[in-house]
Amino acid sequence: MRFTGTESHEEKLYKVLIGDTYRKDRYERQRLGENMESISTVVCGYWKQRYLLDHKRKIAFEIMDSNQTWLRFTKDDIDWSSLKKLPDEAKERAEALSAFYPSFIRRFENGVAEVSWQLIPDGRFWMDDDGYGMTSDEEIPVYAMVDKDLNVLVKFRYINGDYSQLKSMRQQAEKMVAQKISDKEGGAK
């Protein structure tokens, strides 16, 4: 792998991730649309999206660390008012930026992807192959909309099963991306 002194960390990471090492059985690659791809690794027995690659710009970002802590999201990226009525355990997990339970970056459309972050898993998460260990826990996910740099455009929020909120969140995020593109093109003239 040949690096130059002028490459950014994201460019160097991209070169490493497209190499042969990340094509072996220990890694799962998933195309996310718009020249975006994730690379997942097994962490604590579960596949976790660890890296996001932008093949058009030839850059990559580390999504979470091996301790399953979000690296690109902060506490400021959470709509805390939507979490007020959630159990303390859920709020503590959000405070710790812990992606221990299933969490996913979905497909990109119009420069935007939905991120689902499970703060509390469904009780079946604890069940073994024989069905033992299942709890009565109800899944508690929060959702955000991000751009291709994993900047949060619409903060993580608890939607309490009202999935119509995802549509309005996406529309808001897509307007932001379109405005950013328009501003960039206007400045280039």
Side-chain angles (χ1 to χ4, degrees):
M1 194 83 29
R2 181 166 220 165
F3 300 113
T4 68
T6 60
E7 291 174 314
S8 69
H9 171 73
E10 290 81 10
E11 290 168 323
K12 290 177 184 175
L13 181 59
Y14 179 83
K15 284 184 176 182
V16 170
L17 293 172
I18 62 168
D20 290 336
T21 301
Y22 286 87
R23 297 200 184 275
K24 298 188 185 332
D25 295 337
R26 299 184 319 251
Y27 306 96
E28 179 182 86
R29 300 174 80 90
Q30 180 182 9
R31 297 209 177 269
L32 301 177
E34 298 186 353
N35 291 310
M36 303 297 287
E37 181 178 31
S38 67
I39 294 180
S40 299
T41 63
V42 176
V43 181
C44 295
Y46 295 96
W47 286 102
K48 296 288 188 161
Q49 289 175 312
R50 291 283 314 279
Y51 304 99
L52 180 70
L53 288 77
D54 182 331
H55 293 297
K56 183 176 181 183
R57 296 183 295 162
K58 299 192 182 328
I59 59 174
F61 303 99
E62 189 172 9
I63 300 168
M64 69 176 68
D65 64 20
S66 60
N67 293 321
Q68 302 173 80
T69 302
W70 293 120
L71 295 175
R72 301 291 297 186
F73 309 139
T74 71
K75 294 174 192 174
D76 291 337
D77 294 324
I78 299 169
D79 175 358
W80 291 101
S81 65
S82 74
L83 278 60
K84 278 184 182 172
K85 294 183 180 178
L86 295 183
D88 287 343
E89 180 184 355
K91 291 185 262 190
E92 289 165 7
R93 195 155 298 283
E95 181 79 25
L97 300 173
S98 173
F100 181 77
Y101 301 121
S103 300
F104 304 97
I105 297 171
R106 308 288 184 188
R107 291 189 58 79
F108 280 87
E109 295 174 28
N110 300 316
V112 173
E114 172 190 311
V115 179
S116 64
W117 174 14
Q118 215 174 87
L119 299 177
I120 303 287
D122 179 282
R124 291 174 291 183
F125 179 86
W126 306 108
M127 182 172 66
D128 66 14
D129 292 339
D130 297 325
Y132 181 76
M134 185 171 157
T135 68
S136 62
D137 291 338
E138 290 188 35
E139 180 179 314
I140 299 178
V142 292
Y143 299 91
M145 297 294 164
V146 300
D147 66 14
K148 291 182 177 183
D149 291 327
L150 292 177
N151 295 312
V152 174
L153 302 171
V154 179
K155 291 182 178 192
F156 285 98
R157 74 171 68 145
Y158 178 61
I159 63 170
N160 197 20
D162 179 5
Y163 294 101
S164 66
Q165 286 188 47
L166 292 177
K167 184 176 181 179
S168 64
M169 289 168 68
R170 173 171 284 287
Q171 289 171 340
Q172 181 183 353
E174 287 180 2
K175 283 181 186 176
M176 294 170 78
V177 168
Q179 184 63 50
K180 185 177 177 181
I181 292 169
S182 175
D183 291 348
K184 195 181 264 188
E185 290 173 352
K189 292 181 181 179

